[in-house]
């Protein structure tokens, strides 16, 4: 085995070898490869994390800052990977992993990813991605049609038109949202008489040209934090990302939104874009997309819909109506690495108008020549892999009907889990699933009764202790490694707007059965009986007894 070999040598001959000769199939590399090809069966045993080691300990394995002087055999390196990296990776494909938006992958994505790596096409320009460029355009056309449903003539005209683009492919929802607002900004502040456009002259002169004090982007409080990065990068400023209050269903409050718009107008700040969310990150709720479209029209501003999570719901005939109004958006973000079950690194922004992306076009003499077919002229990123191929593969192999089943099943399973939670006396469903995300917490029946009768101050104290219970349980469950839910903080209306900590469940794996969901609750019930939680619940009990005594004494 490699360890007993002569040490690896840095020589031109050996370097040629690593570019040409593959490893022996029985090497560690071969074993890892095989385990991965076997669709991760047993790869990390049945646990979410094989052996839970403290992160600080793991960091120690990666604290050396010197680049290794001498070469090492690939087999030695993969031995290191197996021991120090693979074993500590998170088994995101486990059906018990229901806490994040990291979807399970259909098995074919693994061999196809190898094809992608082997071809190593660069989508920035046609010279390095011949078939991949038209394929990416086709994928964008398919997603555009899913949202905007234009006729054959429209797509015949635009899908491969090198001077236009129906959207931009990128690494994820963050860049997609940024690209949408970038195009919106450059369109609003485009070249006009006496002004060569914001892209050339910058924000200061743009505001002077528009005769206003600033630009604003408005989204609900549940909007994704990537919008904060976008307004920062685009020079709009984080203070001008207006996060609007939500109703009891985590949807933007239209009345409050109008009030914010009126205030901005009085301050001389111009709304650049309204952003609707179709599938909020924490609760999976959908904003009133039609009403937002009406308001954007009234204000004459851009209308973007962040459907990074919820967009693929459009593939379901049963549920696509939930996103009604999305077809009126100027731009829409969809992440393929979420509900299209593609590996990470696949996001898209689609534009209603094929001319929209012209506002961010960039050219360079050596590649992105004017009039060329290069996709890189209207993407934020430069060199990009051909991830669109994997989206193309998913759409072709799974098909619309296959995705429909996945979407319908995910929503159905989330509803079923909500029923299980509701039926259990010691759990409280905090947000019902509109799509396939829900939140809940452990709240024993007796505490629920106390909370219902408590005055504001006491309820706040009880909720603070329950927050600690949720946090402790969530950490412990992750460490146990059997199942995983995430946690977040929300302000449900029934708690007078106080933030509470909740478990968050995301259905992103078709192999998650009802039995697994029931086992999540069972495990949490077991944990509730452990010392650390009993101590916390005892605090609630004492708090309530004290208050009772006080009121009894008058
Ligand atoms: C609604 C929404 N928008 C945008 C994003 C950002 O996507 P990404 O992580 O792919 O950049 C997310 C990610 O969770 C999201 O849920």
């Amino acid at each position: 085995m490699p360890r007993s070999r002569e040490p690896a040598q840095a020589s031109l001959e050996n370097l040629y070898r690593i570019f040409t000769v593959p490893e022996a199939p029985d090497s560690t590399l071969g074993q890892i490869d095989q385990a991965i090809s076997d669709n991760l069966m047993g790869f990390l045993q049945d646990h979410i994390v094989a052996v839970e080691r403290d992160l600080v300990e793991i960091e120690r394995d990666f604290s050396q800052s010197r680049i290794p002087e001498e070469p090492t055999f690939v087999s030695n390196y993969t031995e290191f990977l197996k021991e120090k990296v693979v074993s500590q990776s998170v088994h995101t494909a486990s059906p018990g992993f229901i806490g994040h938006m990291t979807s399970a992958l259909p098995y074919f994505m693994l061999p196809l990813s190898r094809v992608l790596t082997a071809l190593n096409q660069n989508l920035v320009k046609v010279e390095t991605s011949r078939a991949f460029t038209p394929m990416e355009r086709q994928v964008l056309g398919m997603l555009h049609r899913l949202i905007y449903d234009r006729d054959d003539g429209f797509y015949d005209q635009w899908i491969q038109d090198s001077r236009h683009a129906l959207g931009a492919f990128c690494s994820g929802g963050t860049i997609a949202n940024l690209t949408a607002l970038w195009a919106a900004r450059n369109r609003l502040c485009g070249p006009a008489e006496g002004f060569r456009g914001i892209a050339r002259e910058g924000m200061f002169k743009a505001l002077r040209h528009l005769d206003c004090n600033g630009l604003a982007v408005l989204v609900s409080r549940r909007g994704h934090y990537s919008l904060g990065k976008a307004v920062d990068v685009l020079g709009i400023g984080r203070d001008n990302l207006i996060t609007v209050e939500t109703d009891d269903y985590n949807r933007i409050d239209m009345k409050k939104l109008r009030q914010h718009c009126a205030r901005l107008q009085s301050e001389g700040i111009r709304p650049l874009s309204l952003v609707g969310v179709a599938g909020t990150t924490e609760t999976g709720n959908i904003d009133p997309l039609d009403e937002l479209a009406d308001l954007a029209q009234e204000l004459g501003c851009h209308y973007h819909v962040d459907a990074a999570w919820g967009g693929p719901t459009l593939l379901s005939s049963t549920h696509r109506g939930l996103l009604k109004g999305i077809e009126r958006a100027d731009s829409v973000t969809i992440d393929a690495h979420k509900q299209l079950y593609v590996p990470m690194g696949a996001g898209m922004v689609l534009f209603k108008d094929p001319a929209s992306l012209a506002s961010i076009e960039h050219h360079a003499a050596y590649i992105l020549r004017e009039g060329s077919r290069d996709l890189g002229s209207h993407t934020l990123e430069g060199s990009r892999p051909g991830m669109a191929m994997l989206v193309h593969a998913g759409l072709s192999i799974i098909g619309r009907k296959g995705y429909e089943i996945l979407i319908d099943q995910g929503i159905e399973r989330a509803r079923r889990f909500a029923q299980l939670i509701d039926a259990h006396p010691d759990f409280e469903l905090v947000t019902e699933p509109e799509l396939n995300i829900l939140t809940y917490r452990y709240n024993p029946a007796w505490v629920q009764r106390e909370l219902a009768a408590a005055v504001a101050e006491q309820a706040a104290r009880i909720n603070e202790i329950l927050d600690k219970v949720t946090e402790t349980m969530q950490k412990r469950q992750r460490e146990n490694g059997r199942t995983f839910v995430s946690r977040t903080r929300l302000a449900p209306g029934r708690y007078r707007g106080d933030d509470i900590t909740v478990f968050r469940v995301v259905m992103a794996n078709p192999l998650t059965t009802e039995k697994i969901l029931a086992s999540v609750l069972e495990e949490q019930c077991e944990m509730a009986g452990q010392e650390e939680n009993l101590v916390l619940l005892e605090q609630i009990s004492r708090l309530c007894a004290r208050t009772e005594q006080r009121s009894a004494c008058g």
Side-chain angles (χ1 to χ4, degrees):
M1 277 309 286
R3 282 189 197 291
S4 58
R5 279 193 229 159
E6 292 290 302
Q9 298 285 329
S11 71
L12 197 54
E13 191 194 341
N14 283 342
L15 287 174
Y16 280 151
R17 279 173 66 81
I18 61 169
F19 281 95
T20 50
V21 185
E23 277 286 327
D26 60 350
S27 67
T28 316
L29 178 62
Q31 288 165 21
I32 294 185
D33 204 37
Q34 188 58 48
I36 290 174
S37 308
D38 290 347
N39 208 12
L40 297 165
M41 296 273 264
F43 183 45
L44 290 168
Q45 296 118 38
D46 294 330
H47 283 56
I48 305 290
V49 175
V51 189
E52 177 81 14
R53 271 174 74 205
D54 198 75
L55 193 57
V56 178
E57 222 183 293
I58 297 175
E59 282 166 0
R60 261 184 240 125
D61 292 332
F62 301 94
S63 53
Q64 178 59 262
S65 61
R66 276 196 199 90
I67 295 173
E69 186 65 21
E70 299 298 335
T72 189
F73 287 109
V74 176
S75 318
N76 286 354
Y77 181 73
T78 48
E79 197 68 52
F80 156 81
L81 269 189
K82 197 170 136 190
E83 260 174 50
K84 305 286 189 190
V85 180
V86 176
S87 68
Q88 293 304 316
S89 295
V90 179
H91 194 175
T92 55
S94 160
F97 183 91
I98 50 168
H100 285 302
M101 291 175 156
T102 320
S103 315
L105 296 179
Y107 86 91
F108 62 82
M109 289 295 170
L110 297 159
L112 293 185
S113 298
R114 287 175 69 117
V115 174
L116 202 64
T117 307
L119 293 174
N120 202 26
Q121 302 288 288
N122 187 347
L123 273 283
V124 72
K125 53 186 186 279
V126 178
E127 284 171 8
T128 51
S129 63
R130 282 178 61 79
F132 273 66
T133 288
M135 187 194 263
E136 185 168 295
R137 284 185 177 279
Q138 185 189 14
V139 168
L140 290 166
M142 286 174 173
L143 271 297
H144 190 282
R145 191 163 197 157
L146 180 68
I147 298 162
Y148 297 110
D149 197 25
R150 303 295 300 271
D151 59 19
D152 286 340
F154 177 90
Y155 294 101
D156 288 347
Q157 181 180 356
W158 300 114
I159 201 164
Q160 296 295 344
D161 181 316
S162 62
R163 261 164 278 274
H164 293 81
L166 297 177
F169 206 96
C170 53
S171 61
T174 300
I175 302 294
N177 283 340
L178 171 58
T179 306
L181 295 179
W182 182 20
R185 189 199 70 163
N186 285 15
R187 283 198 122 189
L188 176 67
C189 312
E193 208 180 320
F195 178 58
R196 288 180 303 134
I198 191 167
R200 295 213 164 267
E201 299 200 36
M203 183 60 91
F204 180 73
K205 288 188 180 164
L207 293 181
R208 218 165 48 187
H209 168 73
L210 290 176
D211 192 23
C212 67
N213 298 326
L215 301 178
V217 173
L218 297 103
V219 67
S220 93
R221 271 189 186 161
R222 300 260 78 86
H224 191 261
Y225 65 86
S226 54
L227 295 164
K229 296 183 189 176
V231 292
D232 180 350
V233 172
L234 294 172
I236 293 162
R238 290 190 187 200
D239 286 353
N240 289 328
L241 176 68
I242 312 299
T243 50
V244 181
E245 296 81 343
T246 47
D247 63 16
D248 285 349
Y249 298 95
N250 293 292
R251 300 175 194 143
I252 197 164
D253 181 331
M254 291 301 296
K255 209 166 132 204
K256 290 271 170 27
L257 173 60
R258 282 182 178 276
Q259 286 167 5
H260 282 289
C261 290
R263 176 182 57 79
L264 289 171
Q265 195 185 15
S266 72
E267 292 169 6
I269 295 176
R270 193 159 167 170
L272 166 68
S273 178
L274 299 188
V275 179
V277 190
T280 59
T281 313
E282 288 150 298
T283 60
N285 290 110
I286 303 160
D287 279 333
L289 302 181
D290 250 334
E291 287 176 57
L292 281 165
D294 290 340
L295 182 58
Q297 205 171 337
E298 204 179 304
L299 297 168
C301 72
H302 187 92
Y303 177 33
H304 176 64
V305 172
D306 182 356
W309 178 256
T313 312
L314 293 167
L315 291 157
S316 158
S317 322
T318 318
H319 298 293
R320 66 168 291 139
L322 290 170
L323 270 62
K324 177 147 182 349
I326 195 171
E327 71 287 351
R328 296 173 64 194
D330 295 302
S331 55
V332 175
T333 286
I334 294 190
D335 255 347
H337 61 218
K338 292 190 163 78
Q339 293 210 75
L340 291 181
Y341 295 89
V342 166
M344 246 168 300
M348 282 164 278
V349 55
L350 292 312
F351 288 87
K352 185 180 208 163
D353 177 357
S356 290
L357 275 166
S359 64
I360 59 166
E361 220 167 87
H362 270 67
H363 295 282
Y366 84 107
I367 44 171
L368 312 173
R369 292 169 206 106
E370 210 121 5
S372 77
R373 293 173 178 274
D374 300 336
L375 292 168
S377 58
H378 52 250
T379 55
L380 176 62
E381 290 153 308
S383 294
R384 275 186 311 112
M387 289 299 288
M389 183 196 104
L390 299 182
V391 185
H392 193 271
L395 295 174
S396 310
I397 295 171
I398 298 173
R400 208 268 315 152
K401 287 188 177 166
Y403 278 114
E404 175 171 58
I405 294 171
L406 291 173
I407 296 287
D408 291 357
Q409 191 216 32
I411 294 177
E412 189 46 45
R413 190 126 304 147
R415 287 181 181 166
R416 189 66 202 113
F417 193 35
Q419 285 167 358
L420 289 182
I421 294 164
D422 247 349
H424 198 299
D426 293 337
F427 285 98
E428 178 191 359
L429 185 66
V430 178
T431 56
E432 289 205 25
E434 190 172 4
L435 292 176
N436 46 8
I437 299 177
L438 61 84
T439 64
Y440 70 104
R441 66 176 176 172
Y442 179 77
N443 186 358
W446 66 269
V447 181
Q448 290 186 40
R449 282 193 298 275
E450 296 290 351
L451 262 176
V455 292
E457 195 190 331
Q458 191 193 14
R461 273 293 299 137
I462 295 175
N463 278 327
E464 263 172 41
I465 302 172
L466 283 177
D467 287 350
K468 286 190 199 141
V469 173
T470 311
E471 195 180 325
T472 316
M473 274 192 185
Q474 193 266 347
K475 282 186 187 157
R476 192 68 62 219
Q477 193 160 15
R478 195 192 61 209
E479 283 163 19
N480 290 348
R482 276 180 278 163
T483 53
F484 173 80
V485 298
S486 57
R487 68 169 200 273
T488 188
R489 281 178 70 73
L490 296 173
R494 62 182 175 280
Y495 293 120
R496 309 166 183 93
D498 286 345
D499 267 354
I500 60 165
T501 305
V502 293
F503 299 125
R504 168 173 167 264
V505 168
V506 182
M507 298 292 171
N509 188 335
L511 304 181
T512 305
T513 58
E514 204 173 311
K515 198 162 154 229
I516 292 173
L517 295 175
S519 75
V520 171
L521 297 186
E522 274 164 33
E523 195 181 346
Q524 289 175 333
C525 279
E526 266 171 44
M527 284 187 292
Q530 287 167 358
E531 186 62 21
E532 55 194 355
N533 287 313
L534 288 178
V535 169
L536 290 168
L537 294 171
E538 178 56 28
Q539 283 177 19
I540 299 182
S541 170
R542 277 204 305 268
L543 183 77
C544 296
R546 245 201 344 259
T547 320
E548 233 169 62
Q549 225 175 20
R550 240 199 340 249
S551 51
C553 299

